[in-house]
Amino acid sequence: MIRVKIKSWTASFRYPTFQSGYQPTLPVPPLSTIQGILSAARGEIASFSEIPFVGYVFKSEGKGVDLERIYALGKTETDVIRREVLFDNTLHLYLPDEWEKYFRKPKFQLLLGRSSDIATVEKIEKIELKERANVPVGGTIVPIASGLPGLVHALPVEFDYSTTPRRAKIVKPFTILPFPRNLAQRKRQTYNGKLPYDPEIDIGVWLYEGLHGKV
């Protein structure tokens, strides 16, 4: 498999249940954001049903609140909202080898959230992850059935882009696991079973395989 390291100055992953007013950010991207990044890199809509496996680990170095002016359709006046923003972000994607050519030369701009959250590919490496038991997991979302403790939220997996506006095609509940930053978090987010382990980042990687119907 390959590991793609993507960096951005800012990122923002909107809670689906917040439609207006204060806009908090999820601590990690949902799978639908990963679908968007894969689609932008390839230049056409990518579905998880055609990707043998995908995993990711996201880490940010801080969070703040920004003021954002928005324009609503049909309204002449503008609104100013408060939006949480993640800073100095790193996203590691774990993908089959055939995706290397798309990230060597992405077709469209890669984004970690809004159109202003521009991201760049910093490194692509071939990597072999070996399975280990009792490893910490974080910087990602996992199925509730994993038994790991964390915030549970219904999140979009894929969007249907054939309609305007786009519609969530698949929505499922997941446990949200921020990247563990201390020993207590690592212990709390340790998975009892076996997982592929990335020794460089010191984290277990939750790989989604054949996503449709199995998450």
Side-chain angles (χ1 to χ4, degrees):
M1 72 171 69
I2 60 169
R3 182 180 63 196
V4 183
K5 183 179 182 180
I6 295 174
K7 296 282 294 183
S8 79
W9 287 351
T10 62
S12 182
F13 311 116
R14 187 171 63 86
Y15 273 79
T17 51
F18 282 74
Q19 297 298 326
S20 61
Y22 184 75
Q23 293 290 319
T25 179
L26 294 168
V28 301
L31 280 164
S32 57
T33 297
I34 304 301
Q35 182 202 12
I37 293 171
L38 297 177
S39 301
R42 195 171 71 173
E44 59 183 27
I45 301 301
S47 171
F48 289 121
S49 63
E50 59 180 294
I51 303 172
F53 64 86
V54 61
Y56 65 96
V57 175
F58 174 84
K59 184 179 180 181
S60 68
E61 299 301 328
K63 184 171 69 175
V65 178
D66 195 11
L67 297 178
E68 183 177 83
R69 175 173 291 178
I70 61 172
Y71 296 84
L73 290 174
K75 293 177 65 177
T76 55
E77 68 271 22
T78 62
D79 295 321
V80 176
I81 65 169
R82 300 173 72 229
R83 182 188 294 278
E84 288 185 345
V85 179
L86 300 167
F87 295 106
D88 193 5
N89 309 290
T90 304
L91 173 67
H92 289 98
L93 290 175
Y94 302 84
L95 293 162
D97 291 350
E98 55 265 31
W99 279 85
E100 179 174 356
K101 59 180 179 289
Y102 301 125
F103 282 95
R104 289 288 178 196
K105 193 175 182 180
K107 186 74 172 180
F108 299 116
Q109 182 60 60
L110 307 181
L111 304 172
L112 288 182
R114 304 161 300 167
S115 58
S116 57
D117 299 319
I118 297 172
T120 56
V121 176
E122 186 171 289
K123 186 186 297 184
I124 302 175
E125 300 173 287
K126 291 191 182 299
I127 187 171
E128 183 177 351
L129 303 181
K130 295 183 178 179
E131 284 196 340
R132 283 179 52 175
N134 300 314
V135 293
V137 187
T140 189
I141 61 174
V142 297
I144 294 177
S146 68
L148 288 163
L151 176 66
V152 175
H153 207 292
L155 297 172
V157 176
E158 285 193 3
F159 279 103
D160 179 0
Y161 291 92
S162 65
T163 62
T164 303
R166 65 180 185 178
R167 296 180 183 274
K169 188 164 59 177
I170 304 173
V171 178
K172 289 182 177 289
F174 293 93
T175 302
I176 300 170
L177 298 176
F179 192 88
R181 297 184 179 277
N182 53 52
L183 184 58
Q185 284 181 313
R186 293 179 67 83
K187 286 184 177 179
R188 187 166 59 248
Q189 295 180 195
T190 293
Y191 181 63
N192 293 329
K194 288 185 175 180
L195 279 182
Y197 174 73
D198 190 332
E200 185 175 321
I201 308 174
D202 191 18
I203 198 79
V205 180
W206 196 280
L207 290 181
Y208 286 97
E209 301 177 74
L211 268 171
H212 284 269
K214 293 188 178 180
V215 293

